[in-house]
Amino acid sequence: MAVKIFFPTSCSAAENGLLIGRWMADHRSAVILAVLHFPFIPGNVKCYLAQLQQSTGLNLSVLGTWSYWKAEKDEKMQTFFDDLSSIFNHQPWLRIVRDTSSKFWDCNIERSGSEDQEEVILLYCDQRKLMLSELHFVTEKSEIASVFNTVAKSRPLFSLDKYDEGPVKLTHWQSDGMEASIIVELAKHVSFPLCTFLSLFASLLTNFFSARILSGKPLSFLWSKLSTCEQLGKRLEHLRLVTSTERAKDHTQFMRKSNTFVSLLLDMVLGVLLISWLYRENRIGQLANILLPVADRVALELQELLQWLMGAPAGLKMNKALDEVLGRFFMYHIHLWISYIRLMSPFIESILWYIGLSACLGLSLALSILSDIIALLTFHIYCFYVYGARLYCFKMHGLSSLWRLFRGKKWNVLRQRVDSCSYDLDQLFLGTLLFIILLFLLPTTALYYLVFTLVLSFKIMGVITFGFSSP
C-alpha cells in the first residue's frame, strides 16, 4: 500500500530544512505543515513542538528533511541530513529532495530494520483554502477529514511568520507575511463576492477617471483644482490597496496596508458621527441660514474696500481714470456675485443635505467638499486676484522690454538671451512714450495687486471664521 504525503504548495520553494507535520498511521499518510529552516538548535525545536502539541492537541513532530538543490549537492549538507534522523528519531523518516534541474521530486521513506523502498504518492494542497473551508468540522474518520482537521487546528503554527522573531524560522502559507488584504482576510468567510466587487469597482473607476476624455486639458485642470476630486483619487487608490489579493512582499508593505485599512475605518467612523451630529436638531438648516449672511458680509466688506481704493487710499496719489475703471470693473463683478448667491439661496439647504450624506464615505471627503464650497463662495475674490496679477505682470513685462530698448538691447526668443540691437529714432520715441505711461500707471496697478493678494491670503478666512462663530 502506497504512502501518501500531503505537501503544501507554499513550501515548494522553501530552503533546506526540516519537515514539520503529522504522521497518520491509520491511513499511512503524512501531512506536511511547514518547513523549519537552518540554523536551529534541536532542543529549541523540541520545546517548540511540545508547546504546539499542547495548544493544538495534535501529535506534531519532525517527519523528515527537505532539500532544495539550486546548485550541485553539498556532501557535508547531505551528511548533516543523515545525522538529523538519529537526533529526532521519527519513524518513518521522510526524505524529500527537489532539484531545479529536474521536474520530478525524489521522495523516500526510511524505516528502521527495513531496506525495501515503499511507494510514495505526493499530493499538493493549498493550506489557505483548507483553513478557510468548513470541512474540518466533519468527524475525523476518513483520511481527507483528518487532513482538513490537522490543517485547521494548526493555527498557532501558522501565526508565526518571517516578520516575527522566535526560536525557529518557518515557511508555510503565511510565511511571506499575513494576508495582504485585511478586508479580504476578515470578510472571506462570509462576503468574498463583496470584496471581489469592491476591488473590481475601484479598478473600473480608476480606469474611467484615467480615460482620455477626462484627462484632457479643461477637465484635467478642473480635477486638479478641486480638492474633492483629489480626495476621491486617493480614496480609490487606498481602496484598491486594501482590497488587493496579492500578498505583502515585505513587512513595510504589510504595515502600510494595515495602516491604510485602519485609517479608512477610522475616517468612516468619524464620518458617521458627523452625519449623526448634522442631522440632529436641524443643524443643516442652521448652517444654510448662516452661509447667506456670511456671503453678504464678504460682499459688503469688498465693496467698502473698493470704495476706499477708488478714493485716496492711505493718502496715496492714484491715477484717477485707471482707478475708477478698475473700481467699477470689480464692483460689477461683486453685483453679479450677489445676484448669483440670491438665486442659489433656495437650494443651499438641499445642497448641504446631500453633502452631509457624503460623510458616510469618510470625514476627509466631507471636509474636502466643504473646502470646495468655501472656494466657490469666494471665487470672485480669487478672480480679483487673478485680474490684478495679470495686469501687474503685463506692465512689468512691458517695462522690462522698454528698459532694454533704452539700453540698445532686445530679448532673443530663439536663443533665450539678451542681444544687442540698434533702434531708429521713431522706435526710441514711441518706446519712451509707452515707458512713461506704464511707469505712471504702475503704482495704481501695484496697489490693487497687493491689496487683493493680502485679501486672498488673510481676510477671507478671518471673515468666514467670524461669520460662522456669530449667532
Side-chain angles (χ1 to χ4, degrees):
M1 183 177 181
V3 177
K4 299 178 182 178
I5 300 177
F6 295 88
F7 193 87
T9 56
S10 57
C11 298
S12 59
E15 299 178 356
N16 300 333
L18 299 176
L19 297 173
I20 305 297
R22 179 190 178 191
W23 172 258
M24 299 180 293
D26 297 339
H27 306 291
R28 288 180 56 83
S29 61
V31 181
I32 307 300
L33 298 175
V35 174
L36 192 148
H37 299 295
F38 301 109
F40 58 83
I41 301 176
N44 292 342
V45 175
K46 292 180 179 180
C47 292
Y48 178 68
L49 291 177
Q51 295 175 1
L52 287 178
Q53 291 178 4
Q54 185 177 2
S55 60
T56 61
L58 299 175
N59 186 20
L60 303 181
S61 58
V62 178
L63 300 181
T65 59
W66 160 259
S67 304
Y68 185 24
W69 305 112
K70 298 182 181 180
E72 296 181 359
K73 296 183 179 181
D74 190 356
E75 295 182 358
K76 294 183 179 180
M77 183 64 70
Q78 191 68 30
T79 305
F80 178 69
F81 279 171
D82 295 337
D83 297 335
L84 289 176
S85 59
S86 60
I87 295 176
F88 293 98
N89 193 21
H90 182 273
Q91 296 296 328
W93 186 256
L94 307 180
R95 291 180 181 271
I96 302 179
V97 180
R98 181 186 178 186
D99 193 350
T100 54
S101 61
S102 176
K103 297 182 180 179
F104 302 98
W105 293 14
D106 187 9
C107 303
N108 296 322
I109 297 180
E110 298 179 359
R111 298 179 184 268
S112 59
S114 176
E115 297 181 355
D116 298 335
Q117 293 290 337
E118 298 186 49
E119 184 180 357
V120 178
I121 300 177
L122 189 64
L123 301 175
Y124 259 5
C125 61
D126 191 339
Q127 289 179 337
R128 186 179 68 86
K129 293 181 179 181
L130 295 181
M131 288 289 296
L132 298 177
S133 66
E134 301 295 335
L135 296 180
H136 56 274
F137 291 112
V138 182
T139 305
E140 190 175 348
K141 293 182 179 180
S142 63
E143 182 180 12
I144 298 299
S146 301
V147 173
F148 277 84
N149 186 63
T150 300
V151 177
K153 289 184 177 181
S154 302
R155 293 181 181 271
L157 175 66
F158 299 141
S159 63
L160 186 67
D161 56 48
K162 72 175 183 179
Y163 303 134
D164 299 327
E165 294 183 0
V168 295
K169 300 295 182 182
L170 300 174
T171 290
H172 47 74
W173 72 285
Q174 290 195 130
S175 58
D176 290 336
M178 304 297 288
E179 182 67 21
S181 173
I182 307 299
I183 292 182
V184 171
E185 184 61 21
L186 292 177
K188 229 169 214 180
H189 294 282
V190 293
S191 59
F192 179 78
L194 177 62
C195 295
T196 306
F197 172 76
L198 287 176
S199 181
L200 180 61
F201 180 71
S203 301
L204 290 177
L205 285 181
T206 304
N207 295 333
F208 174 75
F209 285 115
S210 60
R212 283 188 176 182
I213 300 177
L214 298 179
S215 60
K217 268 283 184 179
L219 292 179
S220 62
F221 177 77
L222 182 62
W223 302 148
S224 63
K225 295 301 179 182
L226 293 177
S227 58
T228 304
C229 297
E230 295 288 338
Q231 186 64 32
L232 284 175
K234 292 181 180 179
R235 184 57 55 86
L236 286 176
E237 181 181 354
H238 293 164
L239 188 62
R240 291 187 62 185
L241 180 65
V242 298
T243 56
S244 174
T245 56
E246 297 180 358
R247 293 183 177 274
K249 297 180 180 179
D250 50 19
H251 185 56
T252 303
Q253 186 179 5
F254 170 70
M255 292 303 298
R256 181 191 172 200
K257 292 186 176 184
S258 303
N259 293 337
T260 303
F261 172 72
V262 173
S263 63
L264 286 176
L265 183 61
L266 181 62
D267 193 22
M268 295 182 68
V269 170
L270 293 177
V272 173
L273 293 178
L274 178 63
I275 290 177
S276 63
W277 180 82
L278 286 176
Y279 292 94
R280 189 183 305 167
E281 299 178 1
N282 195 23
R283 288 192 174 93
I284 293 289
Q286 296 175 8
L287 290 176
N289 295 331
I290 290 174
L291 280 178
L292 192 59
V294 168
D296 291 338
R297 182 174 300 178
V298 171
L300 180 61
E301 292 198 5
L302 281 177
Q303 287 178 347
E304 294 178 356
L305 179 63
L306 288 174
Q307 290 174 0
W308 178 72
L309 289 175
M310 293 172 65
L316 297 176
K317 184 66 175 177
M318 308 286 287
N319 185 281
K320 191 170 184 61
L322 181 60
D323 191 13
E324 188 175 353
V325 169
L326 292 178
R328 290 183 177 179
F329 176 74
F330 291 134
M331 281 286 190
Y332 179 70
H333 277 70
I334 293 176
H335 289 304
L336 287 179
W337 189 255
I338 292 176
S339 302
Y340 171 72
I341 292 297
R342 295 295 180 182
L343 185 63
M344 292 293 296
S345 58
F347 308 101
I348 290 180
E349 186 174 354
S350 301
I351 294 173
L352 290 178
W353 195 87
Y354 288 108
I355 289 174
L357 291 179
S358 65
C360 63
L361 300 177
L363 178 63
S364 58
L365 185 62
L367 292 178
S368 63
I369 295 177
L370 179 61
S371 174
D372 289 335
I373 291 177
I374 295 175
L376 290 175
L377 289 176
T378 57
F379 182 70
H380 55 303
I381 302 178
Y382 178 74
C383 291
F384 295 165
Y385 163 75
V386 172
Y387 297 153
R390 290 293 183 183
L391 187 59
Y392 177 77
C393 291
F394 170 74
K395 289 193 175 182
M396 291 303 297
H397 282 297
L399 288 173
S400 62
S401 300
L402 294 173
W403 178 250
R404 286 193 294 265
L405 183 141
F406 295 152
R407 295 184 296 131
K409 307 268 184 195
K410 72 171 183 178
W411 176 255
N412 193 330
V413 181
L414 297 178
R415 298 183 179 272
Q416 296 293 313
R417 68 183 185 185
V418 178
D419 294 335
S420 299
C421 182
S422 59
Y423 297 96
D424 54 21
L425 187 60
D426 295 337
Q427 291 175 332
L428 291 174
F429 175 76
L430 184 60
T432 304
L433 185 61
L434 292 176
F435 181 81
I436 294 174
I437 294 174
L438 293 179
L439 184 62
F440 281 104
L441 294 179
L442 181 62
T444 305
T445 306
L447 182 61
Y448 273 86
Y449 170 65
L450 177 62
V451 168
F452 285 117
T453 301
L454 294 177
V455 168
L456 187 65
S457 303
F458 304 106
K459 195 171 183 178
I460 297 177
M461 296 307 300
V463 171
I464 293 176
T465 304
F466 176 75
F468 275 103
S469 60
S470 61

